[in-house]
């Protein structure tokens, strides 16, 4: 840091560095005035045939050029002609090493495309000369004292200025590091000190959101474009937000309004999977960076923040703050933002009340002479992961069900999901039986399946076990297994070969890693195939399609996997989506998720790890995300069969991880009741239904026909808006889902108008 021992204000700290002064129009004007009035003999740069004023103008024009859009290449040529070449009117080349000047001459005379970092080396050399020479003289001047009085820029008592944040490393200095991004050149942004940020200036976007922490030094952020971005980081009790803050034109103080915040990225804290503070790589340290903070999210994002030397306290405080709110200590998860969110919606908007077992049974036209609702699990004593009310064959008493609870894994007995309105064929779901190596039997379980057959029209019952047969056989060693079909009258058993959660998790991790390095070439797509994500998705859709085919033919189906809360939920919900057009409406899809996933105990907490710091937990797996991807594939193949658009699926994915709403908190209905989720949080469906127009498909044509999904060749595609949504390189050339939806809506309106005109 530059010592101010000879300044008239010795013993006091300059709040603004040279870098900050250049961001202030008034500061630049006074500095230019000082250089214009200064005696040439007092300027050591003049001995090199270089004017300090020319150097300052060079710095300002390079920074302005780097902020320019598509015309920056032309302006770069102007800068070279005015400041670098031999006969330029405002030479600064006298300060440059011959090698740097030779390199620039070759670039501008070669006719090749000019790269954005072309002036990096020259800029840094000139910048340091001006800062260490002319700026030192300026801070001793009366004009600088005037600048201080106008901006109130003196404080403290240590006698040292803040150091200038290091310029971004050039592409050549980082070419050997796969982690280090290229730079487009120095980006000038305003560096704010703590007391310059008014709490009232921060625009907390959500009711209940509060500012917790702010990093006010210049932060260098790897934006995924192999670029460096300088800016300001805010952390609220809900999210982190990083962006550029620039002073408004004409302002004469360092105070800024956060309306000028140009957001580069933001992330809900609950979506964070891992936070690591590391020493910076040696190549970055050489540029003045000491620490990096790496943040990985559950939805495929990676953020890297870089901190200057002497910023250890700030970076450590940032890590502690992030961990406190991303991984709250409360065992009941009440530290998650969903319990602080205060959003309100009209009473007429359905949220928590979107699903009711009686209303849904009436809508399905369940024949209650053959089926009945039982509250045998009203206190969750029989099965802690099932809902309190279940639908079973009317001929089976609660007493008869007692033994079945004991025979099925985790007490998840066969219960009704759906009845075909025409042929009466049912879809039921359960967990695996506890047969074990000795092939144990349960007469009550065998009788229950026989009654399911009778309640479904009398045709053979197909038991579709979602697992590979080898896995099911392996479970017999643990006392579980699969049905011995010889003991079950009029039943058939088929294995669907869907791998377990560990295989799905590994595939998704490979997909995430691949999508962070998106490239539009053949090798990238070969690597996509190697992740097996689409192949695994095909297994799930094939099993759902088999279910649909059987039920359409009048055969009842019992679905199960191991415990009945992962693959079973996927198959039942996808089959219902293909069979029942109601579930392809906006409201019906919400009902489907509430019933088949939330009420029936998919382990959202364990699979997503809400508020859990153990990112390596083997219970985590993107099972529900895989289901949403399967729905996406159906919407692609049947674009007119769904009332909702892709934005609904994107919104669900976003809030699956955000914990803004209570919908996906905890594992079971019992846990949600215990923690009073309905009373203490807001349902995602309240938000969706209050903004229903945004989620409507303008090409929707209601049709009760069952969907027949295609699984051949390249019929399944990567869900680009989700898996590649954090690729900013791709975002530059890709329409957002919202933009596409708006375009489709306008096209539909135009088509409707033309049709009316034709009539």
């Amino acid at each position: 840091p530059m010592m101010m021992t000879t300044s008239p204000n010795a013993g006091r700290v300059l709040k603004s560095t040279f870098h900050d002064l250049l961001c202030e129009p008034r500061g630049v004007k006074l500095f230019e005035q000082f250089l214009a009035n200064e005696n040439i003999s007092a300027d050591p740069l003049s001995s090199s045939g270089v004017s300090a004023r020319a150097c300052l103008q060079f710095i300002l024009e390079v920074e302005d050029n780097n902020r320019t859009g598509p015309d920056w290449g032309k302006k770069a040529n102007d800068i070279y002609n005015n400041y670098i070449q031999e006969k330029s009117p405002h030479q600064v080349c006298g300060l440059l090493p011959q090698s740097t000047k030779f390199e620039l001459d070759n670039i501008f005379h070669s006719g090749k495309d000019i790269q954005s970092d072309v002036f990096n080396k020259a800029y840094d050399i000139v910048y340091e000369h001006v800062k260490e020479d002319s700026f030192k003289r300026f801070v001793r001047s009366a004009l600088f004292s005037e600048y201080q009085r106008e901006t109130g820029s003196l404080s403290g008592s240590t006698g040292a200025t803040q150091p200038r944040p290091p310029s971004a490393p050039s592409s050549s200095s980082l070419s050997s590091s796969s982690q280090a991004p290229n730079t487009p050149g120095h980006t000038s942004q305003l560096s704010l000190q703590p007391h310059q940020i008014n709490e009232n200036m921060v625009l907390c976007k959500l009711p209940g959101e509060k500012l917790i922490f702010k990093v006010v030094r210049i932060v260098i952020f790897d934006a995924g474009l192999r670029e460096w971005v300088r800016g300001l980081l805010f952390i609220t009790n809900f999210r982190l937000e990083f962006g550029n803050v620039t002073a408004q034109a004409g302002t004469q103080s360092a105070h800024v309004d956060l309306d000028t915040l140009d957001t580069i990225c933001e992330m809900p804290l609950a979506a964070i999977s891992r936070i690591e503070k590391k020493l910076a790589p040696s190549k970055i340290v050489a540029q003045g960076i000491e620490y990096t903070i790496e943040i990985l999210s559950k939805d495929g994002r990676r953020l890297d923040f870089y901190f200057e030397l002497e910023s250890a306290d700030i970076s450590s405080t940032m890590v502690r703050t992030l961990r406190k709110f991303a991984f709250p200590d409360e065992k009941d998860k009440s530290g998650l933002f969903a319990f602080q969110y205060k959003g309100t919606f009209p009473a007429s908007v359905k949220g928590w009340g979107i699903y009711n077992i009686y209303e849904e049974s009436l809508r399905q036209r369940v024949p209650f002479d053959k089926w009945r609702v039982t509250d045998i699990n009203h206190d969750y004593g029989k099965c802690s992961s099932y809902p309190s009310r279940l639908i079973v064959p009317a001929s089976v008493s609660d007493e008869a069900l007692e033994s079945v609870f004991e025979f099925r894994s985790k007490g998840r007995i066969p219960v009704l999901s759906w009845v075909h309105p025409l042929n009466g064929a049912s879809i039921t779901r359960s967990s695996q039986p506890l047969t074990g190596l000795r092939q144990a039997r349960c007469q009550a379980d065998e009788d229950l399946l026989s009654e399911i057959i009778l309640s479904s029209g009398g045709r053979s019952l197909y038991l579709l076990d979602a697992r590979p047969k080898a896995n099911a056989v392996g479970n017999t060693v643990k006392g579980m297994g699969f049905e011995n079909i010889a003991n079950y009258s009029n039943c058939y058993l088929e294995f669907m070969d869907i791998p377990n959660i560990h295989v799905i998790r590994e595939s998704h991790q490979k997909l995430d890693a691949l999508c962070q390095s998106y490239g539009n070439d053949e090798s990238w797509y070969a690597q996509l195939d190697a992740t097996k994500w689409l192949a695994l998705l095909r297994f799930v859709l094939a099993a759902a399609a088999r279910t649909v085919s059987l039920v359409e033919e009048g055969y009842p189906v019992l679905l199960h996997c191991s415990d009945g809360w992962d693959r079973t939920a996927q198959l039942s919900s996808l089959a219902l989506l293909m069979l029942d057009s109601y579930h392809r409406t906006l409201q019906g899809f919400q009902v489907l998720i509430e019933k088949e996933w939330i009420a029936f105990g998919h382990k959202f907490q364990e699979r997503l790890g809400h508020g859990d710091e153990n990112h390596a937990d083997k219970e985590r797996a993107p099972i529900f995300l895989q289901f949403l991807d399967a729905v996406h594939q159906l919407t692609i193949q049947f674009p007119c069969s769904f009332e909702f658009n892709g934005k609904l699926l994107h919104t669900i994915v976003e809030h699956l991880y955000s914990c803004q709403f209570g919908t996906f908190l905890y594992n079971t209905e019992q846990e949600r009741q215990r923690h009073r989720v309905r009373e203490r949080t807001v349902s995602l469906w309240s938000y969706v239904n209050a903004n229903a127009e945004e989620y409507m498909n303008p090409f929707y044509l209601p049709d009760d026909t069952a969907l027949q999904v295609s699984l051949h060749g390249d019929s399944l595609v990567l869900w680009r808006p989700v898996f590649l949504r954090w690729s900013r390189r791709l975002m530059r050339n890709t329409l957002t889902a919202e933009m596409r939806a708006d375009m489709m809506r306008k096209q539909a309106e135009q088509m409707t108008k033309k049709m009316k005109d034709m009539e």
Side-chain angles (χ1 to χ4, degrees), residues 701-726:
L701 296 173
D703 183 0
D704 291 336
T705 305
L707 305 183
Q708 305 295 329
V709 63
S710 172
L711 300 171
H712 302 293
D714 57 356
S715 55
L716 302 186
V717 296
L718 179 67
W719 194 5
R720 294 163 66 93
V722 167
F723 294 119
L724 294 176
R725 68 193 184 282
W726 308 124

mmCIF file of all heavy atoms in Angstrom, residues 701-726:
data_model
loop_
_atom_site.group_PDB
_atom_site.id
_atom_site.type_symbol
_atom_site.label_atom_id
_atom_site.label_comp_id
_atom_site.label_asym_id
_atom_site.label_seq_id
_atom_site.Cartn_x
_atom_site.Cartn_y
_atom_site.Cartn_z
ATOM 1 N N LEU A 701 -54.532 -28.994 -26.768
ATOM 2 C CA LEU A 701 -55.792 -29.525 -27.294
ATOM 3 C C LEU A 701 -56.206 -30.702 -26.414
ATOM 4 O O LEU A 701 -55.569 -31.760 -26.456
ATOM 5 C CB LEU A 701 -55.616 -29.996 -28.741
ATOM 6 C CG LEU A 701 -55.259 -28.915 -29.769
ATOM 7 C CD1 LEU A 701 -54.946 -29.551 -31.114
ATOM 8 C CD2 LEU A 701 -56.396 -27.907 -29.904
ATOM 9 N N PRO A 702 -57.232 -30.552 -25.590
ATOM 10 C CA PRO A 702 -57.646 -31.646 -24.696
ATOM 11 C C PRO A 702 -57.941 -32.918 -25.479
ATOM 12 O O PRO A 702 -58.597 -32.888 -26.524
ATOM 13 C CB PRO A 702 -58.907 -31.091 -24.023
ATOM 14 C CG PRO A 702 -58.770 -29.604 -24.131
ATOM 15 C CD PRO A 702 -58.077 -29.353 -25.427
ATOM 16 N N ASP A 703 -57.418 -34.034 -24.961
ATOM 17 C CA ASP A 703 -57.595 -35.321 -25.644
ATOM 18 C C ASP A 703 -57.476 -36.428 -24.600
ATOM 19 O O ASP A 703 -56.467 -36.525 -23.903
ATOM 20 C CB ASP A 703 -56.528 -35.486 -26.722
ATOM 21 C CG ASP A 703 -56.700 -36.767 -27.530
ATOM 22 O OD1 ASP A 703 -57.654 -37.522 -27.250
ATOM 23 O OD2 ASP A 703 -55.880 -37.011 -28.425
ATOM 24 N N ASP A 704 -58.497 -37.266 -24.490
ATOM 25 C CA ASP A 704 -58.513 -38.328 -23.486
ATOM 26 C C ASP A 704 -57.745 -39.575 -23.911
ATOM 27 O O ASP A 704 -57.639 -40.531 -23.133
ATOM 28 C CB ASP A 704 -59.963 -38.714 -23.156
ATOM 29 C CG ASP A 704 -60.687 -37.603 -22.395
ATOM 30 O OD1 ASP A 704 -59.988 -36.802 -21.750
ATOM 31 O OD2 ASP A 704 -61.924 -37.540 -22.470
ATOM 32 N N THR A 705 -57.188 -39.573 -25.097
ATOM 33 C CA THR A 705 -56.456 -40.746 -25.582
ATOM 34 C C THR A 705 -55.185 -40.961 -24.762
ATOM 35 O O THR A 705 -54.475 -40.004 -24.425
ATOM 36 C CB THR A 705 -56.068 -40.563 -27.063
ATOM 37 O OG1 THR A 705 -57.239 -40.274 -27.818
ATOM 38 C CG2 THR A 705 -55.394 -41.810 -27.602
ATOM 39 N N ALA A 706 -54.889 -42.217 -24.457
ATOM 40 C CA ALA A 706 -53.652 -42.528 -23.735
ATOM 41 C C ALA A 706 -52.446 -42.240 -24.619
ATOM 42 O O ALA A 706 -52.474 -42.480 -25.835
ATOM 43 C CB ALA A 706 -53.645 -43.993 -23.295
ATOM 44 N N LEU A 707 -51.391 -41.737 -24.022
ATOM 45 C CA LEU A 707 -50.173 -41.407 -24.764
ATOM 46 C C LEU A 707 -49.319 -42.659 -24.943
ATOM 47 O O LEU A 707 -49.117 -43.431 -24.004
ATOM 48 C CB LEU A 707 -49.367 -40.334 -24.017
ATOM 49 C CG LEU A 707 -50.101 -39.035 -23.670
ATOM 50 C CD1 LEU A 707 -49.133 -38.062 -23.002
ATOM 51 C CD2 LEU A 707 -50.733 -38.408 -24.906
ATOM 52 N N GLN A 708 -48.808 -42.836 -26.153
ATOM 53 C CA GLN A 708 -47.925 -43.961 -26.463
ATOM 54 C C GLN A 708 -46.537 -43.397 -26.751
ATOM 55 O O GLN A 708 -46.251 -42.939 -27.851
ATOM 56 C CB GLN A 708 -48.454 -44.743 -27.668
ATOM 57 C CG GLN A 708 -49.884 -45.233 -27.515
ATOM 58 C CD GLN A 708 -50.029 -46.269 -26.403
ATOM 59 O OE1 GLN A 708 -49.108 -47.042 -26.129
ATOM 60 N NE2 GLN A 708 -51.196 -46.280 -25.757
ATOM 61 N N VAL A 709 -45.675 -43.425 -25.761
ATOM 62 C CA VAL A 709 -44.366 -42.792 -25.881
ATOM 63 C C VAL A 709 -43.462 -43.561 -26.832
ATOM 64 O O VAL A 709 -43.501 -44.798 -26.892
ATOM 65 C CB VAL A 709 -43.697 -42.674 -24.486
ATOM 66 C CG1 VAL A 709 -43.447 -44.038 -23.877
ATOM 67 C CG2 VAL A 709 -42.403 -41.871 -24.571
ATOM 68 N N SER A 710 -42.671 -42.841 -27.604
ATOM 69 C CA SER A 710 -41.688 -43.458 -28.500
ATOM 70 C C SER A 710 -40.345 -43.549 -27.777
ATOM 71 O O SER A 710 -39.895 -42.590 -27.155
ATOM 72 C CB SER A 710 -41.525 -42.610 -29.764
ATOM 73 O OG SER A 710 -40.451 -43.101 -30.548
ATOM 74 N N LEU A 711 -39.721 -44.712 -27.886
ATOM 75 C CA LEU A 711 -38.437 -44.940 -27.221
ATOM 76 C C LEU A 711 -37.352 -45.334 -28.211
ATOM 77 O O LEU A 711 -36.274 -45.782 -27.817
ATOM 78 C CB LEU A 711 -38.594 -46.040 -26.160
ATOM 79 C CG LEU A 711 -39.604 -45.747 -25.064
ATOM 80 C CD1 LEU A 711 -39.830 -46.986 -24.206
ATOM 81 C CD2 LEU A 711 -39.126 -44.594 -24.195
ATOM 82 N N HIS A 712 -37.598 -45.139 -29.485
ATOM 83 C CA HIS A 712 -36.668 -45.594 -30.511
ATOM 84 C C HIS A 712 -35.624 -44.525 -30.831
ATOM 85 O O HIS A 712 -35.887 -43.327 -30.776
ATOM 86 C CB HIS A 712 -37.424 -45.966 -31.793
ATOM 87 C CG HIS A 712 -38.450 -47.028 -31.583
ATOM 88 N ND1 HIS A 712 -38.115 -48.321 -31.249
ATOM 89 C CD2 HIS A 712 -39.807 -46.987 -31.647
ATOM 90 C CE1 HIS A 712 -39.220 -49.041 -31.123
ATOM 91 N NE2 HIS A 712 -40.256 -48.253 -31.351
ATOM 92 N N GLY A 713 -34.425 -44.967 -31.198
ATOM 93 C CA GLY A 713 -33.388 -44.092 -31.727
ATOM 94 C C GLY A 713 -33.119 -42.885 -30.856
ATOM 95 O O GLY A 713 -32.878 -42.994 -29.653
ATOM 96 N N ASP A 714 -33.201 -41.715 -31.490
ATOM 97 C CA ASP A 714 -32.903 -40.469 -30.775
ATOM 98 C C ASP A 714 -34.177 -39.769 -30.316
ATOM 99 O O ASP A 714 -34.244 -38.542 -30.282
ATOM 100 C CB ASP A 714 -32.081 -39.535 -31.668
ATOM 101 C CG ASP A 714 -32.784 -39.222 -32.984
ATOM 102 O OD1 ASP A 714 -33.868 -39.792 -33.219
ATOM 103 O OD2 ASP A 714 -32.253 -38.408 -33.766
ATOM 104 N N SER A 715 -35.191 -40.546 -29.965
ATOM 105 C CA SER A 715 -36.465 -39.948 -29.545
ATOM 106 C C SER A 715 -36.360 -39.240 -28.200
ATOM 107 O O SER A 715 -37.176 -38.380 -27.884
ATOM 108 C CB SER A 715 -37.556 -41.026 -29.472
ATOM 109 O OG SER A 715 -37.149 -42.092 -28.624
ATOM 110 N N LEU A 716 -35.363 -39.604 -27.392
ATOM 111 C CA LEU A 716 -35.134 -38.910 -26.130
ATOM 112 C C LEU A 716 -33.989 -37.925 -26.318
ATOM 113 O O LEU A 716 -32.960 -38.243 -26.919
ATOM 114 C CB LEU A 716 -34.790 -39.907 -25.013
ATOM 115 C CG LEU A 716 -35.829 -40.995 -24.733
ATOM 116 C CD1 LEU A 716 -35.415 -41.811 -23.511
ATOM 117 C CD2 LEU A 716 -37.213 -40.400 -24.539
ATOM 118 N N VAL A 717 -34.151 -36.722 -25.787
ATOM 119 C CA VAL A 717 -33.176 -35.651 -25.997
ATOM 120 C C VAL A 717 -32.761 -35.049 -24.658
ATOM 121 O O VAL A 717 -33.482 -35.145 -23.659
ATOM 122 C CB VAL A 717 -33.751 -34.539 -26.903
ATOM 123 C CG1 VAL A 717 -34.043 -35.082 -28.288
ATOM 124 C CG2 VAL A 717 -35.018 -33.935 -26.284
ATOM 125 N N LEU A 718 -31.602 -34.426 -24.655
ATOM 126 C CA LEU A 718 -31.124 -33.762 -23.449
ATOM 127 C C LEU A 718 -32.039 -32.599 -23.098
ATOM 128 O O LEU A 718 -32.411 -31.802 -23.975
ATOM 129 C CB LEU A 718 -29.692 -33.256 -23.660
ATOM 130 C CG LEU A 718 -29.072 -32.513 -22.463
ATOM 131 C CD1 LEU A 718 -28.851 -33.467 -21.294
ATOM 132 C CD2 LEU A 718 -27.763 -31.851 -22.865
ATOM 133 N N TRP A 719 -32.385 -32.480 -21.847
ATOM 134 C CA TRP A 719 -33.238 -31.384 -21.367
ATOM 135 C C TRP A 719 -32.355 -30.149 -21.216
ATOM 136 O O TRP A 719 -31.918 -29.787 -20.147
ATOM 137 C CB TRP A 719 -33.863 -31.794 -20.043
ATOM 138 C CG TRP A 719 -35.004 -30.932 -19.602
ATOM 139 C CD1 TRP A 719 -35.594 -29.912 -20.279
ATOM 140 C CD2 TRP A 719 -35.713 -31.031 -18.359
ATOM 141 N NE1 TRP A 719 -36.619 -29.357 -19.554
ATOM 142 C CE2 TRP A 719 -36.711 -30.033 -18.373
ATOM 143 C CE3 TRP A 719 -35.586 -31.859 -17.252
ATOM 144 C CZ2 TRP A 719 -37.571 -29.849 -17.278
ATOM 145 C CZ3 TRP A 719 -36.447 -31.680 -16.176
ATOM 146 C CH2 TRP A 719 -37.432 -30.685 -16.190
ATOM 147 N N ARG A 720 -32.103 -29.503 -22.325
ATOM 148 C CA ARG A 720 -31.131 -28.413 -22.374
ATOM 149 C C ARG A 720 -31.479 -27.231 -21.469
ATOM 150 O O ARG A 720 -30.599 -26.700 -20.782
ATOM 151 C CB ARG A 720 -30.960 -27.937 -23.826
ATOM 152 C CG ARG A 720 -30.332 -28.980 -24.728
ATOM 153 C CD ARG A 720 -30.558 -28.649 -26.191
ATOM 154 N NE ARG A 720 -29.872 -27.425 -26.583
ATOM 155 C CZ ARG A 720 -28.648 -27.397 -27.107
ATOM 156 N NH1 ARG A 720 -27.987 -28.514 -27.304
ATOM 157 N NH2 ARG A 720 -28.098 -26.260 -27.460
ATOM 158 N N PRO A 721 -32.749 -26.766 -21.437
ATOM 159 C CA PRO A 721 -33.046 -25.613 -20.584
ATOM 160 C C PRO A 721 -32.793 -25.852 -19.094
ATOM 161 O O PRO A 721 -32.705 -24.898 -18.329
ATOM 162 C CB PRO A 721 -34.542 -25.353 -20.854
ATOM 163 C CG PRO A 721 -34.798 -25.948 -22.185
ATOM 164 C CD PRO A 721 -33.922 -27.167 -22.242
ATOM 165 N N VAL A 722 -32.693 -27.115 -18.696
ATOM 166 C CA VAL A 722 -32.410 -27.422 -17.291
ATOM 167 C C VAL A 722 -30.934 -27.763 -17.095
ATOM 168 O O VAL A 722 -30.242 -27.151 -16.288
ATOM 169 C CB VAL A 722 -33.301 -28.569 -16.783
ATOM 170 C CG1 VAL A 722 -32.806 -29.112 -15.437
ATOM 171 C CG2 VAL A 722 -34.725 -28.077 -16.637
ATOM 172 N N PHE A 723 -30.432 -28.711 -17.846
ATOM 173 C CA PHE A 723 -29.072 -29.180 -17.603
ATOM 174 C C PHE A 723 -28.006 -28.236 -18.137
ATOM 175 O O PHE A 723 -26.865 -28.261 -17.682
ATOM 176 C CB PHE A 723 -28.887 -30.580 -18.185
ATOM 177 C CG PHE A 723 -29.721 -31.619 -17.495
ATOM 178 C CD1 PHE A 723 -30.676 -32.336 -18.180
ATOM 179 C CD2 PHE A 723 -29.561 -31.859 -16.140
ATOM 180 C CE1 PHE A 723 -31.462 -33.286 -17.541
ATOM 181 C CE2 PHE A 723 -30.346 -32.799 -15.489
ATOM 182 C CZ PHE A 723 -31.299 -33.514 -16.185
ATOM 183 N N LEU A 724 -28.375 -27.398 -19.101
ATOM 184 C CA LEU A 724 -27.406 -26.441 -19.635
ATOM 185 C C LEU A 724 -27.765 -25.006 -19.279
ATOM 186 O O LEU A 724 -27.222 -24.072 -19.853
ATOM 187 C CB LEU A 724 -27.323 -26.583 -21.162
ATOM 188 C CG LEU A 724 -26.752 -27.909 -21.684
ATOM 189 C CD1 LEU A 724 -26.832 -27.949 -23.207
ATOM 190 C CD2 LEU A 724 -25.328 -28.115 -21.217
ATOM 191 N N ARG A 725 -28.675 -24.835 -18.321
ATOM 192 C CA ARG A 725 -29.135 -23.475 -18.050
ATOM 193 C C ARG A 725 -28.082 -22.603 -17.395
ATOM 194 O O ARG A 725 -28.201 -21.383 -17.386
ATOM 195 C CB ARG A 725 -30.400 -23.497 -17.189
ATOM 196 C CG ARG A 725 -30.234 -23.994 -15.752
ATOM 197 C CD ARG A 725 -31.624 -24.239 -15.167
ATOM 198 N NE ARG A 725 -31.647 -24.628 -13.775
ATOM 199 C CZ ARG A 725 -31.380 -25.837 -13.331
ATOM 200 N NH1 ARG A 725 -30.996 -26.776 -14.185
ATOM 201 N NH2 ARG A 725 -31.464 -26.130 -12.048
ATOM 202 N N TRP A 726 -27.042 -23.209 -16.829
ATOM 203 C CA TRP A 726 -26.002 -22.380 -16.196
ATOM 204 C C TRP A 726 -24.811 -22.174 -17.119
ATOM 205 O O TRP A 726 -23.814 -21.599 -16.711
ATOM 206 C CB TRP A 726 -25.541 -23.014 -14.883
ATOM 207 C CG TRP A 726 -26.675 -23.350 -13.979
ATOM 208 C CD1 TRP A 726 -26.963 -24.571 -13.443
ATOM 209 C CD2 TRP A 726 -27.701 -22.476 -13.507
ATOM 210 N NE1 TRP A 726 -28.099 -24.513 -12.681
ATOM 211 C CE2 TRP A 726 -28.580 -23.238 -12.697
ATOM 212 C CE3 TRP A 726 -27.983 -21.116 -13.694
ATOM 213 C CZ2 TRP A 726 -29.691 -22.695 -12.082
ATOM 214 C CZ3 TRP A 726 -29.102 -20.577 -13.078
ATOM 215 C CH2 TRP A 726 -29.931 -21.358 -12.295
#
